[in-house]
Amino acid sequence: MAVQDNVVASTRVTRAETPPADHWQRWASANAPAVAPAPSNVVQLNAAAAAAVSTPPVLPPSQWQDDANPPPLGSEAPYRVLIVEDDRSQALFAQSVLHGAGMEAIVHSEAEGVQQVINQQRPDLILMDLHLPGLDGMRLTALIRQQPGQQLLPIVFLSGDPDPERQFEVLDSGADDFLTKPIRPRHLIAAVSNRIRRARAQAAQQPGAQGAPAMNNPETGLPTRHHVMQQLSTALSQGAHGGLFFIEVASALGLRERYGYAAFERLMVQAAQRLADNAHPHLLARLNDNSFLVLARGVDEESLDAMAHQLRDELSARSFVIRDEESVHLRGVVGHAKLSGGFGDAGTALEAVERTTLQARLLPSGVAAHVRREDVAAQEHLAMLEGQLEPAYQPIVAVAGGNTAQYQVLLRLRQADGSVLNAGQVIPAAEAAGRIADLDQQVLDHALDLLDLYRHATPPLSLFVSQSLRTLARDAFADWLLETLQQRQLPCSALVIDVRLPDALIHTVTLQQFCSRMSAAGVRFCLSQFEPSGEANALLGQLPLAFVRMAARFSSSHANQQTRDELRGAIDAAHRGGALIIGQQIEDPQAAAAMWMGGVDFIQGNMVQSAGSELNFDFHTAVL
């Protein structure tokens, strides 16, 4: 640790901040809360150790100004702070200051094992050093933020690094504040206690602590997706008039790859706030990374198209500052539907307006109104769904070899003129026409035929089959699949149902219900297009996943250090949940090597074998 990181010089510590000789005995009395046991490399300060620290401690909280006062001892559970600091003197200084203010302070001296300490000790705040051996504080913060339930855990940096650019990078990594050494004890107490007080107040305001989800997102103040869906259900059950708007920000993947995840998140928060301001007083919630839902009750349904254009225009009217002096203009598309459109429930309404947004992508105006399915049956785009199903197959190969032949079934549809349409062309048309369930069932039925045909093959065959959440939401579909598997006496574990992450984030409850039924029978699941985020990481613990297929950017941008760190964090999280990782679109040996070193379990792409019409890949000799 650099000399500049040392504790504040004696000339900057006033006599007023030096406590009487018996200060530690009064604050470390038998009435103080007991501190939970800590791992062997965690230091916990008791009264005797605190008294031995040469750095001047602080006055009892009762003698500070209000902004530096933590709650009195005994009024609630004491504040718990995890100090991640490799310099023992610095750690003991911070620990003694916080202990003197009535807080519980735990020291961990290295980046390795921090997650275990967090899980065991449940701190209210982490006081983080910037320069740690091995993994620096910024990278450690990014990894912590990827863990379910830790996106809002306050993280405050305490460092002697004077570089303003470095401080900006720290905040960009996900930290809440940056404190500069040397620091006065009073400043440290105020910064820590205020952060914890606000975090606890936010948690107390969330009914989720009593079993009900929060109505508002504590980070943005906007309504949660769950709350808006509840309000939509109420509106439909009451026969309310108004509109539902699905807003999608275009080019989200390109923005994320260009600016990084943290900057992209800030951009989407800004976009949400602008949309909410323009939608006021109506409810707006963020559905997933780049889509939003607006519920407008009591408005004239003939004005919905004008409202949709206004929301889209206001989103792109002014640029957003994304970092430093750099700004970006956002484009969006909007699909909308009347609440009086005869929707049976909130899920059906959401499906309709989301499907309408797919149509809006194809229109110059970027806005589309929902039309009932029976009214679109004669539209020209239905013609492309009348082709012949000719799926292709791409092997998914274990990097260390394996005893199973695994293929992904890729949708292909041959038209009357001989041309072949891929999934990217067919699925939007099927969704827009309300035919996606029929198409999904055709593909799945074809896969079951193959599993029946190859039931005695060596090595045994497993097939990954993509399915839409709109299909899985139908009870009749689940009943059909279970009955078919039972009638054919197929090994259920040979079927892997592939679900896209954006679908899973929007229809989480539906997917959980379907997975519960199918996993009991032995069917396995794969979460595709995986991008690490708070909600995405939470799915790893909420769903019975056997596989996670990473987004394509992890192979195409494998030379980027930030991408490699994100990959490593996602792999660790998936492995802890019992899922195996698939690296997709591997086009060259460099990408394959990067995926292998990152820790993926399987690779898939043209370097292994391009998609074809035969199941003839030699898995016995395929080892990376």
Side-chain angles (χ1 to χ4, degrees), residues 255-327:
L255 290 169
R256 189 202 298 270
E257 290 184 348
R258 179 176 179 182
Y259 297 109
Y261 179 76
F264 174 79
E265 273 298 297
R266 290 197 304 274
L267 180 61
M268 290 300 104
V269 169
Q270 293 179 59
Q273 193 59 61
R274 182 178 296 181
L275 288 168
D277 290 343
N278 285 283
H280 185 78
H282 308 299
L283 297 177
L284 176 139
R286 186 177 176 185
L287 286 176
N288 59 25
D289 278 358
N290 65 315
S291 64
F292 305 88
L293 188 70
V294 174
L295 173 61
R297 298 184 62 173
V299 301
D300 181 3
E301 293 188 344
E302 298 304 316
S303 69
L304 297 184
D305 200 64
M307 289 181 62
H309 277 89
Q310 181 181 354
L311 287 169
R312 182 176 184 268
D313 293 343
E314 289 295 333
L315 177 67
S316 59
R318 304 186 310 279
S319 63
F320 294 85
V321 177
I322 193 163
R323 62 186 182 193
D324 297 334
E325 301 299 321
E326 191 170 358
S327 60

Side-chain angles (χ1 to χ4, degrees), residues 533-608:
S533 71
E535 286 187 310
N537 293 343
L539 288 179
L540 300 178
Q542 295 170 359
L543 301 174
L545 299 172
F547 303 92
V548 173
R549 181 182 286 107
M550 301 303 297
R553 73 177 180 92
F554 288 98
S555 57
S556 61
S557 303
H558 60 81
N560 182 280
Q561 182 61 49
Q562 181 179 350
T563 301
R564 292 200 298 269
D565 292 342
E566 286 186 79
L567 175 65
R568 182 71 260 176
I571 290 174
D572 290 343
H575 282 172
R576 284 196 299 272
L580 300 175
I581 294 287
I582 301 171
Q584 67 165 326
Q585 294 190 18
I586 308 299
E587 305 298 322
D588 54 66
Q590 291 78 15
M595 292 292 102
W596 177 76
M597 289 187 292
V600 302
D601 303 288
F602 302 89
I603 60 173
Q604 174 184 0
N606 292 333
M607 194 211 80
V608 178

Side-chain angles (χ1 to χ4, degrees), residues 21 87-88 107 147 173 190 241 250 338 397 466 468 500 507 592:
D87 185 294
R88 182 173 177 80
V107 171
Q147 301 305 312
S173 72
H241 282 250
K338 299 176 181 179
V397 180
S466 297
S468 164
R500 299 184 315 119
H507 305 283

